[in-house]
Amino acid sequence: MSASTDVQPRLECHDVTVRFGGVVALDSVSLAVPPATIVGLVGPNGAGKSTLFSVLSGLRRPDAGRVEFEGKDITSYSAQGRARLGLARTFQHPEMFPGLTVREHVMLAHRISTKRSRVWTDLVTGRGFRRTDPEEVERVDGLLAALSLSPIGDRPVAGLSLGMTRLVELARALATNPAVLLLDEPSSGLDALETEQVTRVFELAVERRGVSLLLVEHDVSIVLNLCSRIHVLDFGVKIAAGTPDEVRSDAAVRAAYLGDDQAVGKGA
Ligand SMILES: Nc1ncnc2c1ncn2[C@@H]1O[C@H](COP(=O)(O)OP(=O)(O)OP(=O)(O)O)[C@@H](O)[C@H]1O
Ligand SMILES: [Mg+2]
């Protein structure tokens, strides 16, 4: 544990405050996401988790505080500017292009990160999706296979279940080869098998590609199992941070969120 504190974080925020009228959604929140680790962000409904994701990904300017990517202040960067640095996110409520197939979504995302200039032509004409190179095919096929999406690769995303849509969104996010991936409730709407697959894909992304993940997740057992460090928000305030063991035994966390021993054990 001790050495990791000296490592330059990939993504960090310092004293971030966001107000919505009278509501203080985030009150001077700081956290860091080191390279190739999974960091958890948990807290009850309305704690400010999605708001912090919006601040980190550039969709919302904080009223105070700053965001840094590999030590550089990116608080004024747009979401697109941050994406170019290697910051990707998934949404609590995924947005897709209904007419595109599963494979096209993943291929488009991969192409955005590798051959930016061709993407809009491909999207407008539709023909470009057929002109593929072997590296692209290998990466896209690999992601589809890892998430068991190969059998539905040619189906339009319109009409897919929420669980399937989430898997496509995750494949799409990973296809951009992100340095940091922000995941907002990735297991919500997934069944047990899909959840297992998704968590395995997270571990592979960290182990094989060195991706850093910041994970918002209501399933406490997932967070306790996957994350090396966990931050706990309550009413916009960070009430605790530490290893899973430290957070599990933190009195403030128990009172505010986990409730009791059984809640931790069951992953409620
Ligand atoms: N666009 C907005 N306008 C006004 N208030 C907002 C807005 N977005 C969030 N809030 C408020 O800010 C607080 C934090 O909301 P946020 O969505 O970040 O919480 P959360 O931790 O993601 O909750 P959940 O677990 O339900 O997803 C809540 O009180 C919420 O009502
Ligand atoms: Mg949320």
Side-chain angles (χ1 to χ4, degrees):
M1 288 289 105
S2 56
S4 67
T5 54
D6 300 330
V7 173
Q8 167 73 58
R10 287 255 173 83
L11 180 68
E12 56 194 311
C13 66
H14 298 277
D15 304 318
V16 164
T17 294
V18 172
R19 293 182 202 92
F20 295 111
V23 175
V24 182
L26 294 171
D27 188 358
S28 202
V29 173
S30 303
L31 60 77
V33 184
T37 53
I38 307 181
V39 174
L41 179 62
V42 300
N45 290 329
K49 307 177 296 292
S50 293
T51 303
L52 186 58
F53 266 30
S54 293
V55 169
L56 293 173
S57 60
L59 295 180
R60 179 169 294 282
R61 281 291 150 75
D63 292 297
R66 66 183 197 280
V67 180
E68 292 179 11
F69 188 88
E70 290 174 349
K72 181 183 171 70
D73 189 333
I74 59 161
T75 317
S76 63
Y77 280 40
S78 66
Q80 289 87 342
R82 295 178 201 208
R84 276 195 286 277
L85 293 174
L87 186 60
R89 73 169 286 183
T90 64
F91 286 84
Q92 196 168 352
H93 307 287
E95 295 280 347
M96 314 300 274
F97 299 105
L100 294 187
T101 67
V102 169
R103 164 179 285 279
E104 284 166 350
H105 270 88
V106 181
M107 196 170 283
L108 182 64
H110 182 266
R111 218 164 268 184
I112 283 170
S113 67
T114 54
K115 308 179 190 73
R116 204 157 303 164
S117 60
R118 243 176 64 185
V119 168
W120 291 109
T121 322
D122 294 348
L123 199 53
V124 171
T125 65
R127 288 197 301 272
F129 289 119
R130 276 172 244 137
R131 297 194 311 263
T132 52
D133 65 58
E135 187 269 333
E136 180 173 81
V137 170
E138 190 187 337
R139 178 79 176 121
V140 171
D141 282 351
L143 282 166
L144 293 177
L147 290 159
S148 298
L149 291 170
S150 308
I152 60 159
D154 294 326
R155 273 181 47 185
V157 296
L160 292 183
S161 67
L162 174 61
M164 284 293 177
T165 307
R166 268 194 196 290
L167 296 179
V168 177
E169 197 201 19
L170 177 58
R172 181 173 71 170
L174 287 169
T176 65
N177 292 319
V180 179
L181 178 53
L182 310 177
L183 298 153
D184 201 348
E185 302 199 22
S187 84
S188 149
L190 302 189
D191 63 27
L193 190 64
E194 289 167 338
T195 300
E196 215 172 279
Q197 264 167 352
V198 161
T199 53
R200 182 74 195 123
V201 167
F202 294 161
E203 287 171 332
L204 286 176
V206 172
E207 285 163 20
R208 299 217 182 133
R209 296 190 166 259
V211 180
S212 303
L213 302 179
L214 180 60
L215 177 65
V216 164
E217 182 53 66
H218 276 293
D219 186 332
V220 175
S221 62
I222 292 181
V223 176
L224 292 174
N225 285 331
L226 276 184
C227 299
S228 49
R229 195 166 177 83
I230 300 168
H231 299 262
V232 187
L233 287 179
D234 189 28
F235 290 111
V237 175
K238 194 166 97 172
I239 58 166
T243 63
D245 282 344
E246 286 165 350
V247 165
R248 194 191 267 122
S249 56
D250 187 287
V253 175
R254 283 167 178 271
Y257 180 48
L258 299 177
D260 57 30
D261 286 346
Q262 285 185 325
V264 177
K266 284 182 198 158

